[in-house]
């Protein structure tokens, strides 16, 4: 069982930066691949970025490539999403998710555990 708690959301102006954190419980967190998803008002939840359990492999949605960076510190049971050059269209609730096994997945149905989400609002 893994419990995930996101933090770091908030209100920022366009062009600004935020770093989201996802703290996980459980001694085996290093054996889970992890992803960040987001759900904007009126839209489906979509993947933003994902990272393998080792941290060696990553995935980014086209909309955030070059602006967002996902990383993890398994010693701290924490995954991060560094967001830079934020745009109003990045406004959403951001969710951390974990899946058993080492490999990245992009489908939300592949993930076994979810956090409650943190709001990110980017003003123009």
């Amino acid at each position: 069982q893994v419990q995930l708690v996101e933090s770091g959301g908030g209100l920022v102006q366009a062009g600004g930066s935020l770093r989201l954190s996802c703290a996980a419980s459980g001694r085996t967190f290093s054996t889970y691949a992890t992803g960040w998803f987001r759900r904007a008002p009126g839209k489906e939840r979509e993947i933003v970025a994902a990272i393998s359990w080792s941290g060696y492999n990553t995935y980014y949605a086209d909309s955030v490539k070059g602006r967002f960076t996902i990383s993890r510190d398994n010693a701290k049971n924490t995954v991060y999403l560094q967001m830079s050059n934020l745009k109003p269209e990045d406004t959403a609730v951001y969710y951390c998710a974990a899946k058993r096994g080492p490999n990245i997945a992009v489908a939300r149905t592949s993930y076994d555990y979810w956090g409650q989400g943190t709001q990110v609002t980017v003003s123009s």
Side-chain angles (χ1 to χ4, degrees), residues 24 29 56 65 103 111:
F29 180 65
Y56 290 150
K65 279 181 183 176
N103 298 322
Y111 288 80

Side-chain angles (χ1 to χ4, degrees), residues 4-85:
L4 305 172
V5 179
E6 303 97 334
S7 62
L11 174 64
V12 64
Q13 289 187 330
S17 298
L18 283 174
R19 188 177 79 157
L20 305 183
S21 298
C22 173
S25 65
R27 294 176 295 173
T28 60
F29 180 65
S30 61
T31 63
Y32 290 75
T34 310
W36 284 97
F37 289 75
R38 68 186 180 187
R39 184 174 62 198
K43 294 188 177 181
E44 296 288 325
R45 190 176 301 193
E46 63 177 2
I47 189 162
V48 174
I51 189 166
S52 61
W53 65 2
S54 65
Y56 290 150
N57 296 311
T58 57
Y59 166 87
Y60 296 95
D62 287 343
S63 58
V64 306
K65 279 181 183 176
R67 301 188 298 122
F68 291 11
T69 302
I70 189 171
S71 62
R72 67 189 297 159
D73 184 339
N74 286 338
K76 296 183 178 180
N77 277 5
T78 303
V79 176
Y80 304 97
L81 185 68
Q82 177 67 47
M83 306 186 294
S84 303
N85 191 20

Side-chain angles (χ1 to χ4, degrees), residues 38 40 43 46 63 67 86-92 94 122:
R38 68 186 180 187
K43 294 188 177 181
E46 63 177 2
S63 58
R67 301 188 298 122
L86 283 160
K87 304 175 180 180
E89 52 264 42
D90 294 317
T91 295
Y94 284 71
V122 184

Side-chain angles (χ1 to χ4, degrees), residues 31-35 97-107 110-113:
T31 63
Y32 290 75
T34 310
K99 62 174 288 289
R100 299 182 188 91
N103 298 322
I104 289 170
V106 298
S110 298
Y111 288 80
D112 303 295
Y113 302 100

